[in-house]
Amino acid sequence: MSGGLAIAVRVSRIDTVAANIKRFRLVRHDGEPLPVFSAGAHVIVSMDDDGHRRRNPYSLMSAPHDTSGYDISVLRVAESRGGSAFLHEKLREGDALTISHPVNLFHADKRGRKHILLAGGIGITPFLAMMAEFDRANVAFELHYAMRSREHGAYWQELVERYGAHRVKRYFSAENDVLPVASLLHNQPLGTHAYVCGPDRMTDFVLRTARECGWPKSNVHSERFLAPISGKAFDAELLRSGIVVRVGDHESILEAVEAAGIDAPYMCRGGACGQCETAVVACNGVLAHHDVYLSEEEKASGRKVMICVSRFDGTKLSLDL
Amino acid sequence: MLVEGIKSRPVYGGIAIDPFARRHIFALEGEGALALLDQKPALTATMLNRSEVLYVAAGPKGLDHDLALAALKPDRFWQGPTIETLLFRLRGSLSAATMSTRLYISGREGFIGQCMQVATDMGMDFSSIPTEHRGSLARRVQCVHCKGITDDVRTSPFKCSHCGLNLLVRDHYSRRLGAFQGVNVDAEEPGTAPQAEELFA
Ligand SMILES: Cc1cc2nc3c(=O)[nH]c(=O)nc-3n(C[C@H](O)[C@H](O)[C@H](O)COP(=O)(O)OP(=O)(O)OC[C@H]3O[C@@H](n4cnc5c(N)ncnc54)[C@H](O)[C@@H]3O)c2cc1C
Ligand code: FES
């Protein structure tokens, strides 16, 4: 089973919410309610871009208990290989898409007494759902939201209005306003959880700062919007299928395998869940591991690869697939 | 006699000082003192200046380690007469603690379980608390029939200190109670319980 059962949806509404960010409301094609999800979850959106199948993960930002539709917000990335460009430029209201069932790799810890949410740019999306859940359950939270500028940031005005300036703090880098990570993490009471979702540099910085402030790992959570990274094209031999696939420079191994008609398991397509783990049988060259799932030792051993984001540079790669 | 194959027993991974923590609290019972004393190279003046040591001796069998602990000169050293007083004191220390505080627990299983309960009650995540089992393997057992808890159980079966039933000690551990489960063995025919074996000396 790849990515779970698919759900046929229709785009009921598209809104531009900030420079380069659009929101899409998805409702079920058959008019039935969608599954309830837990805050932090994402779905894999499958798009048919002129016969080219594109699949990208997007976090669900609507309230988890609202089953009448799901909202996603998508940033148009500059060097898009297609997904965000398709959603922004080609998709129209009324168009059909398929989505996977929601998958959650970024849970709010239910035992937490207080939750500190650190968002950078489009990384706000999973927190929108989390805040709706915290607010409903009357759980203490604070959002610290860093954006490039007032124009580039989505939802910050509404959030201040809805949750109050005491719970929603915003920082615009264009105005030299910096998110004070260390002072935020100091002196937090026991039972506090911190969550970060934003650009890699921000996520790395928050994780490192939390560690240096003496926070235990168990209370710091992160999600990265990883995308397959481009690189040199290479061949991958799939031993079980008995074929060799060409992985293009702008393609992931998983995408190449799917294009060859082979069903490989996946869940997040972002190097985080472990579903697409594939055994490496022969490797004459270097694996470029881009995932955040395998441990450093596992990466060094070269015996496994996460085919949704990682690449290879060398003469021969044989996979147990 | 023990019911085998139940895997809810907690794992005690051992204590290692977290160099990044701003405050260290050690809850130690009896031989558990050695879990801290054995950290010698990591026990720098800076680290000890940030440390609070709570200690209770482990009854007649355990050696007293209070002098050795006090000699470390931690920021605070407190010795209590019973586990209950230590738990009360621990609760007080944790109520003022922050996320930069690390708690370490060492001693017998029942003690670790009870401290763990206080800590999780105060909002700490159990996986953030290093623990080390030291001292006797005696268990803290809750009778599933009368709910009474008996400490320091060394044999199975044993007589419940509250209702007097013969209880078999299962490997089933309740994190919430910090106790193992004891189930009556001779319910059908009282007096037919198997010979008590010393299993948790
Ligand atoms: C769990 C999860 C949740 C997500 N949620 C959201 C969401 O809510 N909203 C949202 O907008 N996105 C989200 N994403 C990201 C999203 O899935 C896509 O990756 C994003 O929309 C870009 O897709 P694309 O097809 O347009 O571009 P792709 O080409 O697939 O994306 C490539 C990205 O990598 C960069 N890139 C390209 N080549 C290189 C290179 N050689 N080195 C380094 N970087 C390179 C590009 O600039 C671009 O940013 C999420 C991702 C994950 C894993
Ligand atoms: S699909 Fe989740 S790690 Fe690859």
Side-chain angles (χ1 to χ4, degrees):
Chain A
M1 194 186 64
S2 307
L5 277 170
I7 306 173
V9 294
R10 189 169 50 76
V11 181
S12 70
R13 196 180 158 150
I14 304 178
D15 294 292
T16 297
V17 293
N20 302 325
I21 302 179
K22 283 188 179 179
R23 177 177 59 214
F24 303 84
R25 180 143 186 97
L26 311 175
V27 298
R28 251 175 92 136
H29 206 71
D30 56 15
E32 295 289 308
L34 285 158
V36 174
F37 63 95
S38 56
H42 67 266
V43 293
I44 307 288
V45 176
S46 291
M47 318 155 219
D48 179 0
D49 184 4
D50 275 337
H52 192 103
R53 173 92 11 226
R54 301 189 186 282
R55 295 186 181 88
N56 279 355
Y58 291 102
S59 302
L60 298 176
M61 54 166 280
S62 39
H65 52 271
D66 175 9
T67 57
S68 65
Y70 290 160
D71 288 333
I72 58 171
S73 282
V74 178
L75 171 72
R76 167 71 163 94
V77 301
E79 293 140 55
S80 170
R81 293 173 311 145
S84 66
F86 171 84
L87 293 170
H88 269 254
E89 280 127 43
K90 298 197 188 158
L91 194 70
R92 299 280 169 264
E93 288 181 359
D95 284 356
L97 290 171
T98 45
I99 59 173
S100 68
H101 273 254
V103 171
N104 199 344
L105 301 173
F106 195 41
H107 286 280
D109 195 310
K110 290 277 188 311
R111 294 160 305 179
R113 307 238 158 131
K114 176 178 176 187
H115 304 269
I116 299 181
L117 315 177
L118 303 157
I122 192 65
I124 188 69
T125 49
F127 295 137
L128 295 168
M130 277 192 200
M131 286 185 283
E133 208 165 79
F134 292 145
D135 190 48
R136 204 161 179 244
N138 222 348
V139 174
F141 73 86
E142 276 170 23
L143 170 72
H144 296 267
Y145 183 12
M147 292 155 275
R148 253 164 75 192
S149 68
R150 288 169 194 264
E151 301 73 52
H152 286 90
Y155 307 118
W156 55 271
Q157 282 140 317
E158 286 116 285
L159 290 171
V160 173
E161 275 162 35
R162 187 174 325 152
Y163 299 121
H166 62 297
R167 289 196 285 184
V168 176
K169 303 265 190 293
R170 54 206 170 61
Y171 311 85
F172 301 108
S173 49
E175 298 169 26
N176 287 324
D177 216 356
V178 185
L179 209 163
V181 182
S183 63
L184 261 173
L185 295 179
H186 270 304
N187 296 323
Q188 290 294 344
L190 289 184
T192 310
H193 284 259
Y195 304 80
V196 57
C197 185
D200 269 347
R201 262 190 323 148
M202 170 176 177
T203 304
D204 292 339
F205 182 71
V206 170
L207 296 181
R208 200 172 57 238
T209 307
R211 182 84 197 97
E212 285 164 6
C213 290
W215 277 56
K217 270 207 182 102
S218 54
N219 290 53
V220 188
H221 315 267
S222 62
E223 180 154 89
R224 295 173 194 262
F225 287 177
L226 280 185
I229 295 194
S230 311
K232 257 184 17 205
F234 58 94
D235 287 330
E237 181 183 17
L238 312 182
L239 293 173
R240 271 192 273 162
S241 316
I243 58 164
V244 174
V245 295
R246 180 82 183 155
V247 182
D249 48 4
H250 284 304
E251 206 175 20
S252 65
I253 305 176
L254 177 62
E255 287 165 345
V257 165
E258 289 170 339
I262 293 158
D263 206 23
Y266 68 81
M267 217 156 74
C268 71
R269 300 179 84 92
C273 73
Q275 248 336 268
C276 69
E277 178 178 311
T278 303
V280 176
V281 181
C283 170
N284 203 338
V286 188
L287 287 166
H289 294 285
H290 295 301
D291 64 280
V292 290
Y293 179 78
L294 294 174
S295 66
E296 289 310 316
E297 297 83 70
E298 286 173 315
K299 287 182 180 173
S301 85
R303 287 212 288 272
K304 301 170 181 174
V305 64
M306 311 310 292
I307 59 172
C308 62
V309 290
S310 299
R311 300 190 73 82
F312 168 73
D313 189 0
T315 50
K316 186 180 168 65
L317 175 68
S318 306
L319 301 174
D320 180 25
L321 200 74
Chain B
M1 191 177 170
L2 198 69
V3 181
E4 306 275 356
I6 302 173
K7 289 279 176 281
S8 59
R9 284 205 59 174
V11 188
Y12 307 105
I15 284 177
I17 307 295
D18 182 345
F20 292 108
R22 304 289 161 110
R23 183 105 194 132
H24 310 271
I25 300 179
F26 296 88
L28 309 171
E29 182 216 26
E31 306 301 292
L34 297 172
L36 172 57
L37 295 167
D38 287 352
Q39 303 286 327
K40 267 282 150 52
L43 304 182
T44 59
T46 323
M47 181 264 158
L48 290 163
N49 273 333
R50 298 172 166 185
S51 296
E52 174 168 351
V53 178
L54 312 179
Y55 175 69
V56 56
K61 258 198 165 176
L63 290 166
D64 279 351
H65 297 287
D66 52 341
L67 295 179
L69 289 173
L72 291 175
K73 296 201 175 30
D75 178 44
R76 282 190 204 160
F77 174 67
W78 177 93
Q79 182 176 14
T82 60
I83 293 181
E84 282 66 36
T85 51
L86 185 143
L87 294 175
F88 187 77
R89 170 78 196 216
L90 175 63
R91 189 173 282 279
S93 299
L94 290 181
S95 65
T98 71
M99 287 305 294
S100 312
T101 302
R102 200 76 347 100
L103 168 66
Y104 310 80
I105 311 171
S106 183
R108 291 177 295 180
E109 205 153 23
F111 173 78
I112 296 176
Q114 289 174 84
C115 291
M116 207 47 135
Q117 226 183 306
V118 169
T120 48
D121 222 44
M122 300 302 291
M124 294 185 101
D125 191 292
F126 71 85
S127 64
S128 71
I129 305 170
T131 54
E132 190 162 320
H133 186 198
R134 294 275 185 142
S136 118
L137 296 169
R139 290 184 173 185
R140 177 175 148 86
V141 184
Q142 185 192 42
C143 170
V144 303
H145 311 285
C146 77
K147 306 291 175 206
I149 287 183
T150 308
D151 277 305
D152 242 337
V153 174
R154 289 159 196 276
T155 66
S156 180
F158 76 102
K159 209 180 229 345
C160 173
S161 62
H162 302 263
C163 69
L165 282 176
N166 278 314
L167 302 179
L168 185 72
V169 179
R170 304 180 73 214
D171 246 3
H172 187 100
Y173 183 80
S174 160
R175 203 169 254 148
R176 194 175 53 79
L177 300 164
F180 288 88
Q181 211 177 55
V183 185
N184 184 215
V185 268
D186 53 359
E188 313 276 278
E189 264 178 87
T192 59
Q195 196 70 44
E197 283 180 74
E198 174 144 342
L199 292 175
F200 323 115

